Amino acid sequence: MSLRHGLLGLLNYGPMTGYELSKVFRQSLDFFWQGQTSQIYRELNVMEGSGYLASEYVMQTDKPNKRVYSITNEGRDEFIKWLSSPGADIDEAMKVRSAFLMRVFFAGELNERQSIAMLKAFSEKCAEAIKGLDVANEAIENYGEAVGDIEKAKYWGLVKMFGEIFYAAELEWAKKAIAFLEGE
Amino acid sequence: MSLRHGLLGLLNYGPMTGYELSKVFRQSLDFFWQGQTSQIYRELNVMEGSGYLASEYVMQTDKPNKRVYSITNEGRDEFIKWLSSPGADIDEAMKVRSAFLMRVFFAGELNERQSIAMLKAFSEKCAEAIKGLDVANEAIENYGEAVGDIEKAKYWGLVKMFGEIFYAAELEWAKKAIAFLEGE
DNA sequence: TTAATCATGTAACACGTTACATGATTGC
DNA sequence: GCAATCATGTAACGTGTTACATGATTAA
């Protein structure tokens, strides 16, 4: 359902084709929700069937023909209704889902040298991710200017802050874990 | 694939039925990977087809008949091979996927009072989750004794430490976010 | 001039979730 | 004595991922 509401949120800014949505999605929501292009097309179809979207088929000569989607009043209602009832998503946010932690859990089957190497690789990726946030930040600000509402930028800032705190925490954990294993 | 390797890891401790695996899974791996019973049965079938598992059908009179799975040498090889190549899972661990953050992103469409309420609900859940870790901790230690290898408990401890740091970070973020919105 | 990328998408498959089936046992 | 839970699973559906199709344009 999050893909659906993400698409409603973007179409709320203006009509777009599946292809454009797929790009905008990647430039904005991708930090916290990843959607494949093919999945977006399927979802748009379903959403039109449910009355949340309307579409118009536009002929083109130089490029392939395209289908432009726009949000209906029903879609806007659904979007606002969704935004107003965050309970289930908060619960879900409390769940961890990480194949990497499964590896840590089973790391006793490896030798300690390998486990430490794994944790070091992890901590390096954390450091990279932290650097990457600056880039993401620019992207999000460009997007903000495009949409042209400075009030909303506050919330984008909160998302970015989440990223900073999140990666810093992962890095902190990795360092402590390495120190623990090495300090025996 | 993580469900698969989780099951291999558990069956590496000894033979079990799908039903038992489903319970043990919930008591041990559930903190970082959730698998439905029905999914486990399907996966066991596939894994037997791939030669990672062997099974024996056992008749019972008081209870329904059952199928007991055990890991093959091929399965053990696959498990160790998987453990030794953590690259892809590390990359994946750097990705955030959170419908809740999508709500924060779009929170400009709501009024600020609602956004603050949402963040407060989130922070309360974080506090609960932190308390809940003690319980999870006991469960994991019981499980450790059952399996009877104290050396491996080190790694379970690391997983638990991850939980502590992770929820503390989420809580820290929520508090800062609330302060930011309220302090305007 | 050949390979990559753009601008559209469709199809197939893999993984995750929800609902249901069934006879025995335990709890109130 | 009736409802819930145990001990097994199966079936159906929804979501996410990977692979492919096609004609135009740009890059090497």
Side-chain angles (χ1 to χ4, degrees), chain B residues 66-140:
Chain B
K66 64 184 178 181
R67 182 170 293 279
V68 180
Y69 288 93
S70 40
I71 191 167
T72 62
N73 287 332
E74 207 183 328
R76 237 179 282 272
D77 290 350
E78 168 60 24
F79 180 60
I80 294 300
K81 194 178 109 195
W82 169 75
L83 262 187
S84 312
S85 50
D89 284 341
I90 291 177
D91 289 346
E92 209 195 291
M94 296 304 123
K95 284 192 202 154
V96 176
R97 187 177 189 87
S98 165
F100 175 75
L101 281 183
M102 184 179 283
R103 287 171 181 280
V104 175
F105 185 83
F106 285 120
E109 308 295 329
L110 292 174
N111 62 57
E112 200 159 291
R113 190 182 45 70
Q114 282 177 289
S115 302
I116 290 173
M118 178 172 82
L119 289 168
K120 285 192 171 162
F122 179 86
S123 71
E124 279 158 26
K125 291 282 179 179
C126 289
E128 279 177 37
I130 288 170
K131 281 185 201 151
L133 277 177
D134 295 334
V135 181
N137 197 28
E138 278 176 42
I140 229 169

Side-chain angles (χ1 to χ4, degrees), chain A residues 10-11 31 36 40 65 78-79 101 104 108 116 119 128-129 136 138 147-148 162 174:
Chain A
L10 294 180
L11 285 171
F31 172 66
Q36 300 309 119
I40 289 174
N65 300 334
E78 167 60 23
F79 180 61
L101 280 183
V104 175
I116 291 172
L119 290 167
E128 279 177 37
E138 278 177 42
V147 171
F162 182 93

Side-chain angles (χ1 to χ4, degrees), chain A residues 11-184:
Chain A
L11 285 171
N12 193 29
Y13 298 140
M16 274 182 278
T17 67
Y19 183 76
E20 287 169 316
L21 275 164
S22 154
K23 280 193 300 181
V24 172
F25 209 97
R26 248 183 278 288
Q27 287 159 22
S28 54
L29 314 188
D30 189 71
F31 172 66
F32 46 77
W33 199 269
Q34 300 84 42
Q36 300 309 119
T37 311
S38 57
Q39 203 186 344
I40 289 174
Y41 285 116
R42 188 178 46 194
E43 191 61 31
L44 289 170
N45 246 287
V46 172
M47 289 163 76
E48 185 170 18
S50 308
Y52 298 142
L53 304 181
S55 79
E56 194 195 351
Y57 197 66
V58 178
M59 301 295 185
Q60 297 185 123
T61 51
D62 51 335
K63 300 172 191 177
N65 300 334
K66 64 186 178 180
R67 182 170 294 278
V68 180
Y69 288 92
S70 41
I71 192 167
T72 61
N73 286 332
E74 208 183 329
R76 236 179 284 271
D77 290 350
E78 167 60 23
F79 180 61
I80 294 301
K81 195 179 109 196
W82 169 75
L83 262 187
S84 310
S85 50
D89 284 341
I90 290 177
D91 289 345
E92 209 195 292
M94 296 305 124
K95 284 192 200 152
V96 177
R97 187 178 190 88
S98 164
F100 176 74
L101 280 183
M102 182 178 285
R103 289 171 180 280
V104 175
F105 185 83
F106 285 121
E109 308 294 328
L110 292 173
N111 63 55
E112 201 159 291
R113 190 181 43 72
Q114 282 177 290
S115 302
I116 291 172
M118 179 172 81
L119 290 167
K120 286 192 171 162
F122 179 86
S123 70
E124 279 158 27
K125 290 281 179 181
C126 289
E128 279 177 37
I130 289 169
K131 280 186 202 151
L133 278 177
D134 295 335
V135 181
N137 198 27
E138 278 177 42
I140 229 168
E141 273 169 17
N142 289 342
Y143 177 66
E145 282 169 28
V147 171
D149 187 337
I150 211 66
E151 165 69 8
K152 285 165 191 167
K154 284 197 311 199
Y155 294 100
W156 305 340
L158 292 185
V159 171
K160 195 202 153 201
M161 184 172 76
F162 182 93
E164 289 163 353
I165 292 179
F166 174 76
Y167 290 124
E170 295 218 310
L171 184 56
E172 178 198 343
W173 169 77
K175 283 185 175 166
K176 284 188 180 162
I178 292 166
F180 171 72
L181 291 179
E182 283 182 339
E184 284 178 317

Side-chain angles (χ1 to χ4, degrees), chain B:
Chain B
M1 303 252 102
S2 289
L3 178 62
R4 173 167 319 176
H5 295 105
L7 292 171
L8 285 174
L10 293 180
L11 286 171
N12 193 31
Y13 300 141
M16 274 181 280
T17 67
Y19 183 75
E20 289 169 314
L21 276 165
S22 155
K23 279 193 301 182
V24 173
F25 209 97
R26 249 183 277 288
Q27 286 159 22
S28 52
L29 314 189
D30 189 71
F31 172 66
F32 46 77
W33 199 268
Q34 300 84 43
Q36 301 308 120
T37 312
S38 57
Q39 203 187 344
I40 290 176
Y41 285 115
R42 187 178 47 193
E43 191 61 32
L44 288 170
N45 245 288
V46 172
M47 288 162 76
E48 185 171 19
S50 309
Y52 298 143
L53 303 180
S55 79
E56 194 194 352
Y57 196 65
V58 177
M59 300 297 186
Q60 296 184 121
T61 50
D62 50 336
K63 299 172 192 175
N65 301 333
K66 64 184 178 181
R67 182 170 293 279
V68 180
Y69 288 93
S70 40
I71 191 167
T72 62
N73 287 332
E74 207 183 328
R76 237 179 282 272
D77 290 350
E78 168 60 24
F79 180 60
I80 294 300
K81 194 178 109 195
W82 169 75
L83 262 187
S84 312
S85 50
D89 284 341
I90 291 177
D91 289 346
E92 209 195 291
M94 296 304 123
K95 284 192 202 154
V96 176
R97 187 177 189 87
S98 165
F100 175 75
L101 281 183
M102 184 179 283
R103 287 171 181 280
V104 175
F105 185 83
F106 285 120
E109 308 295 329
L110 292 174
N111 62 57
E112 200 159 291
R113 190 182 45 70
Q114 282 177 289
S115 302
I116 290 173
M118 178 172 82
L119 289 168
K120 285 192 171 162
F122 179 86
S123 71
E124 279 158 26
K125 291 282 179 179
C126 289
E128 279 177 37
I130 288 170
K131 281 185 201 151
L133 277 177
D134 295 334
V135 181
N137 197 28
E138 278 176 42
I140 229 169
E141 273 169 17
N142 291 341
Y143 178 66
E145 283 168 26
V147 170
D149 186 337
I150 210 68
E151 165 69 9
K152 286 165 191 168
K154 283 196 313 199
Y155 294 99
W156 304 340
L158 293 185
V159 171
K160 195 201 151 205
M161 183 170 78
F162 183 93
E164 289 162 354
I165 292 179
F166 174 76
Y167 290 123
E170 294 216 311
L171 184 56
E172 179 198 341
W173 170 77
K175 283 185 175 166
K176 283 187 181 164
I178 292 166
F180 172 71
L181 291 179
E182 284 182 338
E184 283 179 316

